[in-house]
């Protein structure tokens, strides 16, 4: 177990302990540390970087299957991230804590099983550090403990394991994403590496091919030497010209021949060389070696001038290669040298193939030395040789070629770019060329085009992560909305139950009869009050419908309303109807009905309320009857009064008339007393007549309201004034009226009304001359006419009395009158639906006002 892993366990355990002890803040603080550790480690793996945390506390000691020194395994880091996140939110969200720990538990248990069943792929991801067996065990313990804690937090509520679904599914998807990301990354790497290797192989092959070509052409020259005893300069020239080396052998400087001669024969040799069309032939440099390796000719001559006559044995590298070629009878390549003809001082080489006097290469070294003749050779410049090998590899690869096995600047032959050799892919290979080893160093260039896109894996990781998050959010939302709906349903059901209970209680306790009635009229449920009203028990009523106990005459109207409510024309209705009680008696009920519908709109039941109004109904009927009776008796009375007053007039007239005649007849025979008595009779008769006439007028009003016609109230008042002209003149009364409206009433009645009021206003005058003002106002639907005077006024306590019949405030001797005038006025006004009243201040005047409907 790495040190960081152990530390992680320690802090996690502490955090869990703090959570249990309700030290929430400390617990969170600790889990944040582990979370940071886990995420940092994971990102080191993902981004292939080093954050310096792996050996922060302790240098690495474990080297077994460890991809990075001191670093915990990627699955360990993931488990720590999950566990610490669980602990971080553990105090808040129980289900999430269980989900997170569940995921870590699965990873840990899987690793443990991997160890048990020897499936390395389960606990070790790729070539990365493996999760140690006791780490796996540790996670099983830690996560089980955390889950147990989460489950114990709210024991009273059953835990719904569906709550784990969003996180579990999303985590599974995320782990699958991680695995795919890793697999694709490995695959990409492998494919690209293979491609890179192919490219390097291609380059190595091209070098070997080019070399083979050089050797081939040298062997052609060799053939020429074997074919003739002596190859002349011009023959060689012809041969090389024919080869067209600039085209066919890229990078080669020329093809030449090196003679082997002993130092003692040098003079002789130079002479023979000069004889072969080279009069200026010189040997250089001078050496002390007993044998000379002299370049006799080389073509094209122009560019290799300096080489002609050179004793290549002067320098150990060249000498060694030449001797090796001679002794082994093979092509030999020098080490990196500087060619005398190359002024640019680039890495140069000589490739030498020995020729012998025998036709075939002799078998032994001794024989070869003995029969040795010289070398066909080719100088070439390394960079030229290695340039332009293959277009594809040249662009996509950086490569450097070193002479020998070591990579040091001194042995560098060629580098295809100045840039550093550090690409994402690099490799080193060696090739053998003519007995020498060249080391090739390859690295992918900036233009390296890997066949597999490296960002595919990153894309998978990105999309997978986003998908996991979205999946989690969607599932969480789904689950949550399910819970929300369930909560709502629960709440609504409770509300419904409560309201039903309330309704039931209301129904039971109500003094009003209440019932639920089916749409077809059957009684479904009734309360006690209902059972009292109708005289049936609930059980008895349930076997009946409302139609069967409705009084026949009221059924039709009720059914009519029922239909209207059922078809939605009405929401509720209220009617008075009669029911037949169980004992056969009939009662009046005030029925209020409302319809309750099902959710789909179909009728469920009626809620009916019945109030027993039998008593009110009977009382109202009694009142009605009494009123009718009163009306009738009033009419009779009035008729009687009319007839009486009408019929009384005649005998009264007779009394008056005959008293007068008796007075005339007994003229002079009567003493004063008798005369006084006689006058009493006449007065009484006269007064009686007045009373009777008043009565007659009063009782006539009901029968004889007269024809209604359009009347200008101004004209009516004028008529009344005209009738009263004598009195007005006597009292010097002033009467004002103006702009009175037009009304539709009987002319006679209206005239009488105004006449009475005006005459009273004059009759009950004060010492001042009477001043009377008549006016009219519109008050809502009525005209209010007022007759105001400046007369004696009326004492407050008498204001009501004066409208009663025969009620007077003065004795007849003071002011004459019968006490009928105002009651007549009242009767006229009331017969039109109006009212009359008076306002007065004693001693200052009175205002009589009456209203009549417009
Ligand atoms: P009569 O005038 O025949 O007495 P009324 O019915 O017309 O009968 O009047 C009843 C009483 O009302 C009168 O006796 C009088 O006392 C009082 N009264 C009527 N009109 C006036 C008025 N304009 N001013 C003061 N008192 C009045």
């Amino acid at each position: 177990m790495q040190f960081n892993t152990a530390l992680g366990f320690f802090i996690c355990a502490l955090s869990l302990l703090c959570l249990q002890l309700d030290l929430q803040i400390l617990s969170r603080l600790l889990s944040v540390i582990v979370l940071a550790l886990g995420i940092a480690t994971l990102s080191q793996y993902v981004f292939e970087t080093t954050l310096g945390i792996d050996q922060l506390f302790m240098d690495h000691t474990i080297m077994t299957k460890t991809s990075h020194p001191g670093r915990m395994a990627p699955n360990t880091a993931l488990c720590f991230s999950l566990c610490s996140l669980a602990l971080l939110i553990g105090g808040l969200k129980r289900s999430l804590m269980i989900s997170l720990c569940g995921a870590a538990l699965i990873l840990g248990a899987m690793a443990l099983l991997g160890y048990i069943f020897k499936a390395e792929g389960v606990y070790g991801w790729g070539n990365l550090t493996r999760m140690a067996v006791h780490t796996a065990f540790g996670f099983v313990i830690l996560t089980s403990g955390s889950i147990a804690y989460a489950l114990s937090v709210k024991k009273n509520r059953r835990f719904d394991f569906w709550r784990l679904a969003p996180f579990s599914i999303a985590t599974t998807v995320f782990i699958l994403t991680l695995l795919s990301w890793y697999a694709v990354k490995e695959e990409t790497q492998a494919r690209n590496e293979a491609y890179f290797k192919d490219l390097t192989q291609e380059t190595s092959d091209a070098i070997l091919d080019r070399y083979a070509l050089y050797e081939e052409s040298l062997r052609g020259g060799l053939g020429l030497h074997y074919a003739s005893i002596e190859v002349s300069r011009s023959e060689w020239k012809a041969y090389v010209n024919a080869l067209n080396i600039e085209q066919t052998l890229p990078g080669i400087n020329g093809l030449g021949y090196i003679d082997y001669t002993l130092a003692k024969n040098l003079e002789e040799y130079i002479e023979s060389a000069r004889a072969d069309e080279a009069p200026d032939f010189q040997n250089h440099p001078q050496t002390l070696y007993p044998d000379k390796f002299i370049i006799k000719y080389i073509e094209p001559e122009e560019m290799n001038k300096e080489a002609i006559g050179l004793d290549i044995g002067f320098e150990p590298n060249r000498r060694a290669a030449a001797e090796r070629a001679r002794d082994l009878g093979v092509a030999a390549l020098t080490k990196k040298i500087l060619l005398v003809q190359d002024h640019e001082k680039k890495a140069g080489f000589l490739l030498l193939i020995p020729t012998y006097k025998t036709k075939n290469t002799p078998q032994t070294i001794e024989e070869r030395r003995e029969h040795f003749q010289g070398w066909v050779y080719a100088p070439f410049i390394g960079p030229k040789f290695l340039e332009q090998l293959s277009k594809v590899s040249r662009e996509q690869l950086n490569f450097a070629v070193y002479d020998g096995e070591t990579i040091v600047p001194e042995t560098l032959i060629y580098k295809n770019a100045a840039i550093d050799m550090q690409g994402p892919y690099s490799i080193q290979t060696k090739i053998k060329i003519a007995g020498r080893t060249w080391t090739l160093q390859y690295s992918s260039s900036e233009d390296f085009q890997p066949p597999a896109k490296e960002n595919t894996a990153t894309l998978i990781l990105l999309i997978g992560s986003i998908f996991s998050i979205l999946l989690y959010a969607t599932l969480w939302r789904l689950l949550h909305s399910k819970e929300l709906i369930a909560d709502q349903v629960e709440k609504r059901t409770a509300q419904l139950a409560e309201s039903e209970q309330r309704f039931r209680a209301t129904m039971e306790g109500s003094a009003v009869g209440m019932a639920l009635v089916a749409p077809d009229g059957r009684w479904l449920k009734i309360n006690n009050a209902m059972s009292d009203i109708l005289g049936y028990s609930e059980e008895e009523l349930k076997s009946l419908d409302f139609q069967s106990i409705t009084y026949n005459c009221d059924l039709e109207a009720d059914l009519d309303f029922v239909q209207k409510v059922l078809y939605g024309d009405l929401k509720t209705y209220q009617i008075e109807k009669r029911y037949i009680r169980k004992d056969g008696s009939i009662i009046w009920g005030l029925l209020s009905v409302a319809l309750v519908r099902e959710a789909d709109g179909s009728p469920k039941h009626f809620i009916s309320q019945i109030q027993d109004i039998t008593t009110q109904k009977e009382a109202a009927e009694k009142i009605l009857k009494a009123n009718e009776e009163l009306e009738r008796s009033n009419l009779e009375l009035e008729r009687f009064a009319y007839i009486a007053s009408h019929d009384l007039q005649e005998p009264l007239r007779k009394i008056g008339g005959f008293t007068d005649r008796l007075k005339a007849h007994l003229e002079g025979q009567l003493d004063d007393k008798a005369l006084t008595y006689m006058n009493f009779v006449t007065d009484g008769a006269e007064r009686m007549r007045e009373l009777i006439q008043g009565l007659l007028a009063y009782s006539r009003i009901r029968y004889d309201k007269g024809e209604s016609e359009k009347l200008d109230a101004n004209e009516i008042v004028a008529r009344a004034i005209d009738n009263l002209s004598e009195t007005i003149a006597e009292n010097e009364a002033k009467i004002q009226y103006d702009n009175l409206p037009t009304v539709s009433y009987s002319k006679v009645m209206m005239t009488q009304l105004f006449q009475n009021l005006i005459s009273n206003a004059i009759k009950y005058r004060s010492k001042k001359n009477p001043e009377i003002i008549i006016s009219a106002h519109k008050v809502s639907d009525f005209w209010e006419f007022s007759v105001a005077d400046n007369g004696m006024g009326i004492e407050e306590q008498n204001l009501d009395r004066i409208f009663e019949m025969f009620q007077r405030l003065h004795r007849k001797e003071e002011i004459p009158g019968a006490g009928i005038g105002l009651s007549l006025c009242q009767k006229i006004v009331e017969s039109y639906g109006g009212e009359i009243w008076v306002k007065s201040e004693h001693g200052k005047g009175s205002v009589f006002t009456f209203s009549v409907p417009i």
Side-chain angles (χ1 to χ4, degrees):
M1 186 189 284
Q2 298 288 2
F3 180 78
N4 279 354
T5 310
L7 189 68
F9 275 125
F10 179 68
I11 302 177
C12 273
L14 264 185
S15 168
L16 182 58
L17 202 63
C18 289
L19 208 57
Q20 176 68 40
L21 296 174
D22 220 17
L23 302 169
Q24 298 255 355
I25 293 178
L26 188 59
S27 164
R28 271 182 220 156
L29 214 70
L30 291 167
S31 41
V32 164
I33 295 173
V34 182
L35 185 62
L37 182 70
I39 290 176
T41 308
L42 271 181
S43 50
Q44 287 190 120
Y45 278 114
V46 174
F47 302 112
E48 289 174 359
T49 53
T50 326
L51 301 172
I53 52 165
D54 299 331
Q55 297 178 67
L56 191 62
F57 303 105
M58 196 182 267
D59 281 348
H60 70 284
T61 47
I62 305 160
M63 295 306 289
T64 341
K65 300 202 169 156
T66 303
S67 60
H68 304 78
R71 188 182 293 180
M72 67 170 79
N75 36 356
T76 305
L78 183 60
C79 280
F80 272 132
S81 305
L82 292 169
C83 283
S84 53
L85 200 60
L87 289 166
L88 188 62
I89 52 173
L92 310 167
K93 201 97 185 91
R94 193 166 60 121
S95 57
L96 198 56
M97 181 177 186
I98 295 176
S99 306
L100 289 164
C101 287
L105 176 62
I106 291 168
L107 283 171
M110 266 167 55
L112 208 56
L113 290 174
Y115 274 108
I116 294 168
F117 295 107
K118 298 196 165 53
E120 198 181 354
V122 182
Y123 58 88
W125 292 0
N127 295 323
L128 306 176
T129 306
R130 271 90 180 90
M131 184 192 276
V133 64
H134 40 305
T135 303
F137 186 67
F139 278 121
V140 172
I141 302 283
L142 177 66
T143 52
S144 306
S146 305
I147 291 172
Y149 164 79
L151 288 173
S152 71
V153 173
K154 288 185 199 162
K155 276 191 197 122
N156 50 348
R157 206 169 140 184
R158 203 174 58 81
F159 186 72
D160 183 4
F161 279 90
W162 274 109
R163 283 154 174 257
L164 303 181
F167 187 80
S168 314
I169 294 171
T171 309
T172 311
V173 171
F174 183 66
I175 290 173
L176 287 176
T177 303
L178 279 182
L179 291 176
S180 327
W181 164 73
Y182 189 74
V184 170
K185 201 168 121 94
E186 291 287 286
E187 167 70 16
T188 308
Q189 182 94 11
R191 270 183 70 191
N192 292 347
E193 242 164 40
Y195 174 72
F196 173 72
K197 268 190 186 157
D198 281 354
L199 281 185
T200 61
Q201 189 61 48
E202 198 179 287
T203 307
S204 302
D205 288 350
I207 294 171
L208 289 172
D209 284 353
R210 186 163 285 190
Y211 164 71
L213 209 61
Y214 281 17
E215 193 181 323
E216 205 73 356
S217 48
L218 278 185
R219 286 198 186 279
L222 200 63
L224 195 63
H225 274 272
Y226 279 125
S228 55
I229 304 156
E230 189 83 43
V231 178
S232 71
R233 192 178 294 270
S234 52
E235 278 170 335
W236 188 253
K237 187 173 190 149
Y239 168 70
V240 176
N241 275 349
L243 275 183
N244 186 18
I245 58 167
E246 264 170 47
Q247 298 295 320
T248 55
L249 301 172
I252 206 158
N253 266 39
L255 291 180
Y257 182 71
I258 301 170
D259 255 330
Y260 176 78
T261 185
L262 293 173
K264 56 181 181 183
N265 301 331
L266 186 61
E267 294 283 305
E268 198 181 318
Y269 172 74
I270 291 174
E271 233 158 83
S272 75
R274 285 184 179 160
D276 188 9
E277 294 173 51
D280 305 328
F281 187 84
Q282 287 284 341
N283 166 39
H284 57 96
Q286 301 299 323
T287 67
L288 296 173
Y289 290 105
D291 46 4
K292 308 279 178 189
F293 307 169
I294 301 170
I295 299 172
K296 191 177 182 189
Y297 42 69
I298 179 163
E299 290 295 336
E301 196 183 304
E302 196 52 37
M303 56 189 282
N304 292 298
K305 246 184 214 155
E306 287 94 337
I308 294 173
L310 178 78
D311 174 3
I312 65 159
F314 80 98
E315 183 262 334
N317 274 339
R318 290 177 172 83
R319 176 171 279 272
E323 283 176 346
R324 188 154 49 88
R326 178 193 67 193
D327 292 351
L328 300 179
V330 294
L333 190 68
T334 60
K335 276 191 185 174
K336 180 183 160 187
I337 54 166
L338 292 178
L339 295 178
V340 291
Q341 62 269 50
D342 176 27
H343 303 294
E344 291 173 27
K345 307 267 184 250
K346 285 184 185 157
F349 295 89
L350 299 183
L351 177 63
L352 305 126
I353 299 181
T355 67
Y356 301 94
K357 290 177 188 123
T358 52
K359 294 295 168 193
N360 294 317
T361 307
Q363 291 297 311
T364 61
I365 293 184
E366 289 72 30
E367 283 175 333
R368 285 181 209 126
R369 284 186 179 170
E370 189 190 334
H371 299 293
F372 184 67
Q373 205 170 26
W375 300 267
V376 175
Y377 95 105
F380 62 88
I381 310 279
K384 277 193 187 165
F385 170 81
L386 292 165
E387 258 167 21
Q388 299 167 3
L389 282 171
S390 146
K391 192 167 185 288
V392 179
S393 33
R394 206 175 61 237
E395 280 172 359
Q396 300 195 27
L397 291 180
N398 293 334
F399 77 100
V401 183
Y402 294 88
D403 181 27
E405 309 244 359
T406 47
I407 296 175
V408 282
E410 297 80 63
T411 60
L412 178 73
I413 303 170
Y414 172 71
K415 212 176 185 177
N416 80 332
I419 44 171
D420 216 304
M421 297 291 288
Q422 283 305 314
Y425 301 94
S426 53
I427 200 176
Q428 246 186 48
T429 57
K430 294 184 194 320
I431 51 171
K432 290 248 175 220
I433 293 183
R436 281 212 59 78
T437 302
W438 281 6
T439 301
L440 306 176
Q441 201 184 19
Y442 292 104
S443 151
S444 52
S445 76
E446 275 187 343
D447 296 330
F448 182 66
Q449 286 164 3
K453 291 274 165 286
E454 279 173 354
N455 48 15
T456 309
T458 319
L459 208 65
I460 287 175
L461 185 63
L462 194 74
I463 292 173
S465 306
I466 293 171
F467 179 69
S468 307
I469 293 167
L470 288 180
L471 190 68
Y472 174 76
T474 312
L475 289 175
W476 186 86
R477 175 101 216 122
L478 265 177
L479 202 73
H480 209 67
S481 62
K482 198 186 108 192
E483 273 177 17
L484 276 181
I485 290 168
D487 271 5
Q488 286 275 326
V489 169
E490 206 173 293
K491 212 184 269 172
R492 289 278 152 83
T493 312
Q495 278 174 355
L496 201 67
E498 194 197 315
S499 86
E500 230 164 58
Q501 214 168 4
R502 211 180 303 145
F503 175 72
R504 208 170 291 273
T506 313
M507 191 162 160
E508 292 304 331
S510 173
V512 177
M514 286 180 81
L516 299 185
V517 180
D520 62 5
R522 279 176 303 107
W523 299 91
L524 299 174
K525 179 154 183 56
I526 61 165
N527 67 352
N528 294 336
M530 183 66 102
S531 145
D532 288 346
I533 292 169
L534 297 175
Y536 289 97
S537 72
E538 181 167 11
E539 287 314 306
E540 287 167 336
L541 214 53
K542 272 183 180 172
S543 61
L544 298 170
D545 54 20
F546 78 84
Q547 295 91 326
S548 59
I549 59 163
T550 297
Y551 186 65
N552 225 0
C553 300
D554 298 340
L555 188 57
E556 205 182 312
D558 196 4
L559 287 176
D560 234 36
F561 277 114
V562 166
Q563 289 305 315
K564 278 183 185 156
V565 170
L566 283 177
Y567 288 117
D569 298 342
L570 280 178
K571 285 221 165 87
T572 57
Y573 70 89
Q574 196 175 52
I575 53 166
E576 287 177 359
K577 61 176 275 194
R578 280 162 287 183
Y579 288 96
I580 307 163
R581 295 185 86 237
K582 191 184 174 189
D583 60 12
S585 58
I586 289 171
I587 53 141
W588 273 98
L590 175 65
L591 170 69
S592 307
V593 178
L595 179 64
V596 176
R597 291 184 185 273
E598 300 279 10
D600 64 1
S602 62
K604 189 179 179 189
H605 56 239
F606 295 106
I607 298 177
S608 305
Q609 286 189 26
I610 300 173
Q611 243 174 301
D612 188 352
I613 52 163
T614 313
T615 327
Q616 293 98 299
K617 260 311 219 203
E618 279 171 1
E621 249 165 55
K622 265 184 200 155
I623 290 168
L624 202 71
K625 257 189 199 149
N627 274 348
E628 275 170 13
E629 186 62 25
L630 200 67
E631 182 83 349
R632 198 182 52 75
S633 73
N634 270 354
L635 265 177
E636 264 172 23
L637 205 65
E638 277 171 17
R639 194 175 296 136
F640 165 76
Y642 179 75
I643 292 166
S645 48
H646 188 268
D647 291 359
L648 278 175
Q649 277 201 92
E650 190 49 35
L652 208 57
R653 208 179 2 251
K654 273 190 178 156
I655 292 171
F658 280 101
T659 311
D660 283 347
R661 280 163 81 174
L662 196 62
K663 239 163 94 180
H665 186 68
L666 296 177
E667 182 95 68
Q669 295 174 24
L670 295 175
D671 57 8
D672 283 353
K673 216 168 195 175
L675 216 57
T676 311
Y677 291 160
M678 214 62 149
N679 282 342
F680 279 152
V681 173
T682 320
D683 270 8
E686 176 57 22
R687 194 164 144 63
M688 186 78 140
R689 202 181 58 84
E690 270 175 26
L691 281 173
I692 284 171
Q693 265 177 351
L695 254 180
L696 196 61
Y698 183 86
S699 56
R700 196 182 280 150
I701 289 168
R702 181 183 285 271
Y703 311 105
D704 188 13
K705 267 200 264 185
E707 287 288 301
S708 288
E709 51 188 306
K710 279 220 165 205
L711 306 170
D712 181 352
N714 296 301
E715 278 177 27
I716 301 293
V717 172
R719 259 170 73 96
I721 291 172
D722 190 41
N723 290 348
L724 296 168
S725 53
E726 233 171 276
T727 329
I728 293 168
E730 264 169 34
N731 288 282
E732 294 176 35
K734 278 187 192 154
I735 302 175
Q736 276 182 39
Y737 66 95
D738 205 3
N739 281 335
L740 299 179
T742 302
V743 289
S744 274
Y745 294 109
S746 152
K747 195 191 232 174
V748 181
M749 298 286 166
M750 289 305 276
T751 313
Q752 199 169 3
L753 186 57
F754 277 111
Q755 200 171 315
N756 277 348
L757 294 175
I758 295 167
S759 75
N760 274 357
I762 298 169
K763 190 156 68 171
Y764 301 105
R765 57 172 288 178
S766 58
K767 285 183 183 127
K768 296 179 200 161
N769 283 345
E771 281 179 12
I772 301 164
I773 301 166
I774 301 170
S775 58
H777 302 282
K778 193 176 168 186
V779 178
S780 72
D781 293 340
F782 291 83
W783 284 117
E784 281 187 10
F785 289 93
S786 297
V787 179
D789 63 46
N790 59 345
M792 60 178 63
I794 306 159
E795 282 169 8
E796 175 126 30
Q797 68 268 24
N798 295 324
L799 285 179
D800 288 337
R801 261 179 55 191
I802 54 172
F803 292 99
E804 286 169 27
M805 194 178 287
F806 304 129
Q807 285 294 340
R808 306 203 62 231
L809 303 179
H810 306 274
R811 289 197 295 116
K812 187 174 158 51
E813 289 72 33
E814 293 169 22
I815 302 170
I820 288 176
L822 283 180
S823 42
L824 205 69
C825 289
Q826 190 177 37
K827 196 164 182 193
I828 292 169
V829 170
E830 282 178 359
S831 77
Y832 289 121
E835 277 179 74
I836 185 164
W837 63 94
V838 61
K839 280 185 182 161
S840 176
E841 211 175 316
H842 190 58
K844 288 198 173 165
S846 317
V847 181
F848 282 82
T849 308
F850 67 89
S851 65
V852 283
I854 291 169

